[in-house]
Amino acid sequence: MHTAVMNTEEVAPRERVPFWSDWISRLFGGLESDVYGDTDFDGRMVSAHAGAVILTRLEANRHRVMRSREKIRASDNGYLKIVAPFTGCAGVEQKGRLAWVTPGQWSIYDTTETYAVANPVRVEHLIVMVPKAHLVERGLVLDELMARRLGASGGVARLALETMRSVYRELPGMHDEAARAAGDAITQFVHLSLLELAGRATAMSQREALRERIKHVVATRLGDPGLSVDAIAAALNCSRRHLYNAFSDEAEGVAGYILRERLEACRRELRGPTRRSVTEIALAHGFANLAHFSRVFKSRYGMPPRDYREHTRHLLGEATP
């Protein structure tokens, strides 16, 4: 998994401010920064990817960042950017609004517009960048939702914050597929949070939020043979009835979704360049034994997994080892 690490301790004290400024500019796509005129500065950033979503844990002395019109034109990618303090505070300014957030809250802003973020005390933040296009395509009108404070009153925005924090914490142990699913879960929770902020939250959005939490648990524990409806209910501290309600518009239900995701993960690996045996692939994705895996795989895809692997390699012009 691609990560980026920066620590000002790597350079001499007199070089730390320009070193920090250069990293801020490169990592976040063209930002200006200052440290309130201070000469003594230290900071650290660790950044990782969950699919298209970028998460960064930032710890630093007081500082500010700004995005000018010139910097916007020089940037290639548009993101919605979230600041969620662990310690300290942040003041997000955009569209003529200023939102101050503290631990347990978060604010969001658009990197394709001018903005400024003030950190007047030493801070530790989680910074999350979601591709703007992934939310625009869902029909959101963003202008009135930027530089607002979210999460203070709970609801979906609090779930979004918990998801972002847990994804960042668990990313080092995730394979790429689970990381992409986790990034998708963050995007969905941000979408629901903005819907709630816009005054359009409904019982449907709450149910959708729970469904995304369930899918996140499944993605991160797909290889656990103990993953079940009861295990998910325990992990999310809710009843089986709530889980079933969340999946009421999906014919297979929760258990069927787990099976489908396991089979799809196995199928993708069988089509790929892996050297693992069919048994190893099945066990790695939570199946307890090969006989059961072969039976349900054939039922879904029309042939046993070994035949499927050989058939796929034949189509791709590969020799079966």
Side-chain angles (χ1 to χ4, degrees):
M1 185 174 299
H2 174 69
T3 59
V5 180
M6 187 285 296
N7 194 329
T8 56
E9 292 182 358
E10 298 172 4
V11 300
R14 67 179 179 277
E15 298 173 357
R16 288 177 180 175
V17 172
F19 181 71
W20 171 266
S21 297
D22 179 64
W23 258 90
I24 285 283
S25 179
R26 288 189 290 114
L27 183 61
F28 296 123
L31 283 181
E32 300 169 4
S33 63
D34 72 62
V35 295
Y36 292 90
D38 296 342
T39 55
D40 183 24
F41 182 83
D42 71 89
R44 183 172 186 268
M45 290 185 285
V46 181
S47 181
H49 289 246
V53 176
I54 305 170
L55 301 97
T56 301
R57 186 155 186 157
L58 177 153
E59 182 179 359
N61 286 358
R62 65 177 189 162
H63 65 283
R64 294 177 291 206
V65 296
M66 295 77 66
R67 193 90 186 263
S68 65
R69 287 290 175 192
E70 292 73 20
K71 293 294 185 180
I72 292 170
R73 285 194 292 268
S75 177
D76 294 328
N77 298 315
Y79 288 92
L80 295 185
K81 195 170 177 182
I82 293 162
V83 57
F86 289 105
T87 61
C89 61
V92 177
E93 186 174 2
Q94 190 170 65
K95 299 289 184 181
R97 291 183 293 272
L98 175 61
W100 284 97
V101 288
T102 56
Q105 303 169 352
W106 54 280
S107 188
I108 188 166
Y109 46 103
D110 185 348
T111 66
T112 67
E113 302 284 348
T114 59
Y115 66 85
V117 179
N119 303 283
V121 297
R122 184 171 181 83
V123 296
E124 187 172 359
H125 292 331
L126 180 62
I127 309 293
V128 180
M129 298 170 65
V130 178
K132 181 179 176 179
H134 291 187
L135 291 169
V136 171
E137 67 188 14
R138 301 178 185 217
L140 280 173
V141 178
L142 299 172
D143 283 0
E144 292 302 314
L145 306 177
M146 300 297 98
R148 303 284 192 183
R149 185 168 60 246
L150 296 100
S153 57
V156 176
R158 182 62 60 84
L159 294 177
L161 178 60
E162 293 172 358
T163 301
M164 290 185 280
R165 287 179 172 178
S166 65
V167 168
Y168 181 82
R169 185 173 59 249
E170 301 298 331
L171 263 179
M174 288 187 192
H175 55 77
D176 289 347
E177 187 175 303
R180 284 193 296 272
D184 291 343
I186 289 174
T187 301
Q188 179 66 1
F189 273 117
V190 171
H191 175 231
L192 294 173
S193 299
L194 295 179
L195 284 178
E196 186 175 69
L197 181 63
R200 291 162 31 209
T202 62
M204 180 65 73
S205 71
Q206 297 289 339
R207 189 176 69 181
E208 191 173 352
L210 178 57
R211 184 162 63 245
E212 291 304 316
R213 293 178 72 197
I214 295 168
K215 290 182 178 181
H216 173 60
V217 172
V218 172
T220 55
R221 294 179 55 182
L222 201 60
D224 178 4
L227 181 64
S228 64
V229 174
D230 287 333
I232 295 172
L236 298 180
N237 193 29
C238 66
S239 68
R240 291 169 60 97
R241 180 174 60 84
H242 281 98
L243 297 190
Y244 293 141
N245 286 341
F247 271 73
S248 60
D249 56 352
E250 299 195 20
E252 295 176 310
V254 182
Y257 176 78
I258 296 171
L259 177 61
R260 185 181 74 199
E261 290 299 293
R262 282 177 166 158
L263 287 171
E264 276 296 297
C266 292
R267 185 182 69 85
R268 284 191 292 270
E269 188 164 352
L270 288 168
R271 290 171 59 91
T274 181
R275 295 285 180 177
R276 291 202 290 189
S277 68
V278 171
T279 300
E280 290 172 332
I281 292 171
L283 294 177
H285 292 96
F287 288 98
N289 63 77
L290 181 60
H292 174 247
F293 169 60
S294 296
R295 184 170 63 254
V296 293
F297 189 98
K298 182 179 179 181
S299 176
R300 182 169 292 268
Y301 301 114
M303 63 181 71
R306 285 192 175 89
D307 293 348
Y308 182 87
R309 167 180 268 178
E310 293 175 2
H311 177 69
T312 301
R313 288 177 173 173
H314 174 73
L315 292 177
L316 295 175
E318 300 177 4
T320 304

